[in-house]
Amino acid sequence: MTSDIGIIATGSYLPDRVVTNAEIAPAAGVDAAWIERKTGIRERRHAAPGQATSNLAAIAADRALLAAGLSPADVDHVVVATSTPDHPQPATASLVQHLIGARSASAVDVNAVCSGFVYALAMARGLVRDGGHALVIGADVYSRILDVRDRKTAILFGDGAGAVVLGAVPAGGGVIGTRLRGHGADHRLIGVRAGGSRVPASVRSVLDGEHYFRMDGRGVREFVSGHVPAAIAGTLRESGLPATAVDHLVPHQANGVMLRELGEALDLPNATLHLTVDRFANTGAASVPITLDAAHRAGALDVGDLVLLAGFGGGMNLGVGLCRWTAAPPRSGTAVRNHTSALSHG
């Protein structure tokens, strides 16, 4: 099945502050070399004190619009994938819509954790079938919910945002298909226990550390190896394309060592595996669009290439997307507005 809805531009934003392994290793009880050996990560970015998820998302959105040659007035929908929203409510997408000045656009959040961007892409594809443009953004600020003493999580995550503009593309290009699957029986593998209706935030929940992100790393690795290859194979089968047709694999940047093992297991002989995890670590829902933007701006993606996106994470959720690449080479220049302090209090 082909589609005339596709990615016409990309953009991303990483905070200025670079945090090396040496900086975070002591609190986690490990050394810098151990982190790189176990994860493939050398450094990550952390948001500045005045930056929240919406601020990062807005800058990435502006950069994607600049690359597309569009203005905020051209945006009909803003879909933000995040599991670290500015607040429980309103939606972070509403704040982004306000920050970028897309006054006529709808705004909605998607929380499928690290697979959220692919979920958001699938939703936005439906929203623009009858015309218009959608901004699809993945953004997370994980540094605010990490226990620096927990080596299972503190060493893995960073902050960032990535965005794409979705709209009409020439026939035969664009998003060919998506495959979304939930495995709720495994929901305990990843999560933040407190802060919702089941365990409301309280002095006790903070003292007990229940507001921190926790993860069963071994369980997650087993989930990925057990489910991701089958999901990718199913997506290709439904699209009528052989594995040899895939030119690029852009996965969620969970762990560099795990991703290289996954790449070998997938049997995509002609696909280039794109990784940014060494520089930016795991940026949650932002990792797929950040890596996609990095590949695009490096000139690695040619019009007509077949790009496979693979997200996986808390829930547990899986999202696979298959795209025939249609974005033109990025326009020169990245000057955008600074949204760091424009919305400090909502």
Side-chain angles (χ1 to χ4, degrees):
M1 180 182 70
T2 57
S3 171
D4 60 355
I5 302 297
I7 294 169
I8 61 177
T10 67
S12 63
Y13 173 70
L14 283 304
D16 292 336
R17 186 186 170 203
V18 176
V19 180
T20 65
N21 289 342
E23 183 173 342
I24 65 169
V30 297
D31 61 46
W34 184 90
I35 295 175
E36 184 170 358
R37 185 171 68 253
K38 291 290 187 178
T39 69
I41 297 168
R42 297 196 308 271
E43 59 190 34
R44 72 282 296 140
R45 304 295 181 91
H46 281 181
Q51 290 180 315
T53 297
S54 65
N55 302 122
L56 276 58
I59 297 174
D62 271 349
R63 289 179 173 173
L65 287 174
L66 179 68
L70 298 174
S71 75
D74 298 312
V75 178
D76 299 280
H77 308 282
V78 177
V79 185
V80 174
T82 186
S83 55
T84 59
D86 284 31
H87 323 103
Q89 56 176 289
T92 297
S94 297
L95 310 182
V96 175
Q97 184 234 30
H98 169 62
L99 280 171
I100 67 174
R103 295 180 177 84
S104 299
S106 70
V108 64
D109 283 2
V110 176
N111 182 357
V113 196
C114 297
S115 57
F117 177 77
V118 181
Y119 273 68
L121 187 72
M123 290 177 57
R125 181 188 180 207
L127 290 172
V128 296
R129 282 189 184 279
D130 296 326
H133 298 96
L135 268 169
V136 185
I137 308 165
D140 272 308
V141 179
Y142 265 82
S143 63
R144 304 278 162 78
I145 61 171
L146 294 178
D147 180 351
V148 297
R149 302 163 299 179
D150 180 11
R151 73 178 190 180
K152 293 180 181 179
T153 59
I155 66 174
L156 287 173
F157 290 86
D159 306 335
V164 303
V165 178
L166 207 62
V169 297
V175 181
I176 296 171
T178 57
R179 186 181 182 91
L180 311 177
R181 294 291 186 273
H183 297 266
D186 295 318
H187 71 274
R188 291 183 178 84
L189 292 177
I190 292 175
V192 178
R193 176 172 168 75
S197 61
R198 184 167 299 281
V199 183
S202 66
V203 172
R204 173 50 57 190
S205 72
V206 173
L207 289 174
D208 291 343
E210 293 184 313
H211 59 297
Y212 289 129
F213 176 88
R214 303 294 184 187
M215 181 174 67
D216 177 347
R218 184 182 298 275
V220 170
R221 185 181 290 267
E222 291 174 355
F223 175 87
V224 171
S225 63
H227 293 285
V228 172
I232 289 175
T235 303
L236 290 169
R237 185 170 57 252
E238 290 173 0
S239 302
L241 292 165
T244 54
V246 178
D247 299 298
H248 305 276
L249 172 62
V250 182
H252 166 52
Q253 305 289 298
N255 174 309
V257 174
M258 182 179 72
L259 288 175
R260 292 193 183 281
E261 293 173 355
L262 179 64
E264 293 175 358
L266 287 177
D267 191 25
L268 302 173
N270 299 322
T272 298
L273 174 64
H274 294 275
L275 300 177
T276 57
V277 65
D278 59 326
R279 294 173 286 157
F280 307 136
N282 181 339
T283 52
S287 76
V288 168
I290 285 172
T291 306
L292 190 65
D293 183 53
H296 181 46
R297 291 179 183 273
L301 309 180
D302 293 326
V303 172
D305 281 357
L306 192 63
V307 181
L308 196 153
L309 313 176
F312 43 87
M316 296 290 288
N317 283 302
L318 288 170
V320 179
L322 197 59
C323 306
R324 185 69 67 185
W325 196 247
T326 48
R331 294 165 181 251
S332 61
T334 59
V336 295
R337 292 166 292 168
N338 185 343
H339 295 292
T340 296
S341 58
L343 196 65
S344 59
H345 299 292

